[in-house]
Amino acid sequence: GAGVSQSPRYKVAKRGQDVALRCDPISGHVSLFWYQQALGQGPEFLTYFQNEAQLDKSGLPSDRFFAERPEGSVSTLKIQRTQQEDSAVYLCASSLQKGAYSNQPQHFGDGTRLSIL
Amino acid sequence: GQQLNQSPQSMFIQEGEDVSMNCTSSSIFNTWLWYKQDPGEGPVLLIALYKAGELTSNGRLTAQFGITRKDSFLNISASIPSDVGIYFCAGQKNGGNNRKLIWGLGTSLGVNP
């Protein structure tokens, strides 16, 4: 498809389990972003990749959160030992970045809704 | 984390009316964006603003990048039922590896046919 694709759309896990969320960016998009959106809130930044390099991970809330993009395309966000406060929608976005200071808008997928029981 | 001040929080209008919402910040941003989010979906980009003072339209939508670079507004003219949804402003500072978007809390818009 032409847009950002995320899977699964819904994930239910028991507290303490590990989960992995996948993002397929728009083809050719260099930059990839992960955001966390709690109910009734705006998205909050988690981490940013340019190609395979993770250039900003300042938003990751704890060391239980880990993201990778090994080949500069598909990305996976992993949450270990999940807790109830991890319940949220996890959004992925990609952008076509042409230079260090050029600014292309971020385009979002429909997110993965994670529920921790 | 840091958030933008977005108002109003919610509004309910009659079909055909115009609506305005705005976003302010205590710090400067180099890019302002407006997104719309429907239930169960991701944010969809409406308008992107890159220059202080810039006024940009997209159909019935008009947005402006404030001169101080600390605010932006979005106007919707002649509202229709499909305008219902949550509208978010987002700011981006840019520079080096700082590409993250800082978001407002959203404006929930209802339109009465």
Side-chain angles (χ1 to χ4, degrees):
Chain A
V4 177
S5 177
Q6 293 188 246
S7 61
R9 286 297 315 274
Y10 303 91
K11 176 70 179 176
V12 179
K14 292 183 179 178
R15 185 168 57 92
Q17 288 182 331
D18 298 347
V19 298
L21 314 180
R22 177 187 168 104
C23 174
D24 273 278
I26 295 171
S27 178
H29 277 198
V30 169
S31 298
L32 185 145
F33 304 80
W34 285 98
Y35 292 83
Q36 181 190 60
Q37 186 175 25
L39 190 64
Q41 304 289 313
E44 295 252 357
F45 171 80
L46 294 176
T47 188
Y48 154 58
F49 291 85
Q50 183 173 328
N51 295 306
E52 68 280 0
Q54 189 174 19
L55 299 185
D56 185 353
K57 51 182 181 179
S58 63
L60 295 176
S62 77
D63 59 6
R64 296 186 296 105
F65 287 70
F66 173 76
E68 59 184 4
R69 194 186 186 198
E71 297 178 358
S73 178
V74 171
S75 177
T76 303
L77 176 67
K78 297 179 180 178
I79 310 174
Q80 298 176 324
R81 303 181 304 282
T82 53
Q83 300 177 4
Q84 284 191 320
E85 61 261 31
D86 299 335
S87 296
V89 175
Y90 290 85
L91 295 166
C92 177
S94 69
S95 74
L96 180 62
Q97 184 175 318
K98 295 181 179 177
Y101 290 90
S102 74
N103 223 356
Q104 299 296 317
Q106 295 174 28
H107 298 274
F108 285 79
D110 285 335
T112 294
R113 183 176 297 275
L114 177 64
S115 298
I116 305 300
L117 305 179
Chain B
Q2 181 186 3
Q3 286 178 327
L4 303 176
N5 301 310
Q6 188 172 349
S7 64
Q9 184 177 355
S10 65
M11 55 197 318
F12 199 86
I13 59 174
Q14 290 294 121
E15 182 177 359
E17 288 183 345
D18 299 344
V19 61
S20 182
M21 58 193 78
N22 69 79
C23 209
T24 62
S25 170
S26 58
S27 59
I28 289 172
F29 288 93
N30 294 319
T31 301
W32 284 89
L33 305 108
W34 287 91
Y35 287 84
K36 179 175 182 277
Q37 187 173 29
D38 291 331
E41 298 183 8
V44 174
L45 180 69
L46 299 175
I47 293 180
L49 302 158
Y50 299 107
K51 190 175 176 182
E54 179 182 354
L55 183 71
T56 297
S57 293
N58 177 9
R60 294 179 296 105
L61 277 60
T62 301
Q64 185 158 29
F65 190 146
I67 285 291
T68 66
R69 293 197 282 160
K70 293 182 179 181
D71 64 317
S72 177
F73 72 74
L74 175 71
N75 287 341
I76 305 173
S77 62
S79 58
I80 58 178
S82 63
D83 291 335
V84 167
I86 301 178
Y87 292 79
F88 287 99
C89 61
Q92 191 172 30
K93 296 196 175 187
N94 306 331
N97 297 328
N98 186 359
R99 299 281 168 175
K100 61 187 172 189
L101 295 179
I102 307 297
W103 297 75
L105 290 178
T107 294
S108 177
L109 177 64
V111 178
N112 192 24

